[in-house]
Amino acid sequence: MATAVYPGSFDPVTFGHLDIIRRASHSFEHIIVGVLHNSAKSPLFSVEERVKMLKEETKTLSNVDIESFSGLSVNFAREHGAAVILRGLRAITDFEYELQMAQTNRVLAYDVDTVFLTTSLEYAYLSSTTVKEVAGFGGDIDKFVPPLVAEAIHQKMQRRKGVINH
Ligand code: PNS
C-alpha cells in the first residue's frame, strides 16, 4: 500500500500512538502524521511542540514524516496524494466516534478510505487526556509516554502552576 496519513491531536504523543505509527510503517510505503492545528481547542502543547516531539520519537522510521495541518483530514490526505486515513482503534468506546468520522470522511471524499489498526493490548487503555490528568496530579507517567515527552509534560505543568501561584 502506498501513502497513508495519520491525523490526530497528539497532545501529547503517547506509546499508543507510537505503536500505531511503527506498525503502520511496515504496511505502508509512506506515513505522514498530521498534527491538527485546531484554534477551537486549547491544547497543552502548541502544534510546533507536538510536531517536534513526534519528529524526535519517530526519527528512526525512515518512511514516516510529521506535519501540522488545519482544516479537514480528507483535504490533508488529498494534498499528499494519500488514499488512506489511518486511525487507531482502542476499544468499543472508540468505535462509534471513529465510525462516524470515517463515514463522514467517506462522504466528503469517496477516494479516501479509513484504515483502522487495533491498538496493542498493552496500550488499549491509554489516551493523551489520561496522561495529562495523571501528570496533573503528580502521578507517574513513565509507562505512558517516552522520557522526553514526560519531561516536557512536567515542565509545562510546573510552568502553569508557577503562573497560577504568582
Ligand atoms: O487525536 P484525535 O483528537 O482523536 O483526532 C481527531 C481528528 C484530528 C482526526 C479529527 O478531529 C479530524 O479529522 N479533524 C479535522 C477536521 C475534520 O476533518 N473533520 C471531519 C471528520 S469528522
Side-chain angles (χ1 to χ4, degrees), residues 40 43 45 49-50 63 73 75 84 101 120-121 124 132 135 151:
F45 291 99
E49 289 169 325
R50 286 178 275 151
N63 61 340
S73 285
N75 289 346
V84 168
M101 209 156 52
S120 295
L121 272 182
K132 286 181 280 192
E151 180 55 31

Side-chain angles (χ1 to χ4, degrees), residues 7-10 36 41 69 71-73 87 97 101 104-105 108:
S9 304
F10 306 105
L36 182 67
K41 278 190 180 178
F69 79 103
L72 294 174
S73 285
R87 292 286 290 169
Y97 169 62
M101 209 156 52
T104 305
N105 285 336
L108 290 172

Side-chain angles (χ1 to χ4, degrees), residues 15 139-147 150 154:
F15 283 136
D140 185 2
I141 53 171
D142 292 358
K143 291 197 172 68
F144 309 149
V145 293
H154 289 313

Side-chain angles (χ1 to χ4, degrees), residues 113-135:
D113 261 312
T114 301
V115 169
F116 294 105
L117 284 192
T118 53
T119 305
S120 295
L121 272 182
E122 64 261 47
Y123 306 124
Y125 62 91
L126 191 52
S127 76
S128 300
T129 306
T130 312
V131 174
K132 286 181 280 192
E133 182 163 336
V134 172

Side-chain angles (χ1 to χ4, degrees), residues 37-53:
H37 179 73
N38 185 351
S39 49
K41 278 190 180 178
S42 51
L44 181 63
F45 291 99
S46 70
V47 73
E48 293 81 11
E49 289 169 325
R50 286 178 275 151
V51 165
K52 195 173 168 203
M53 286 188 276

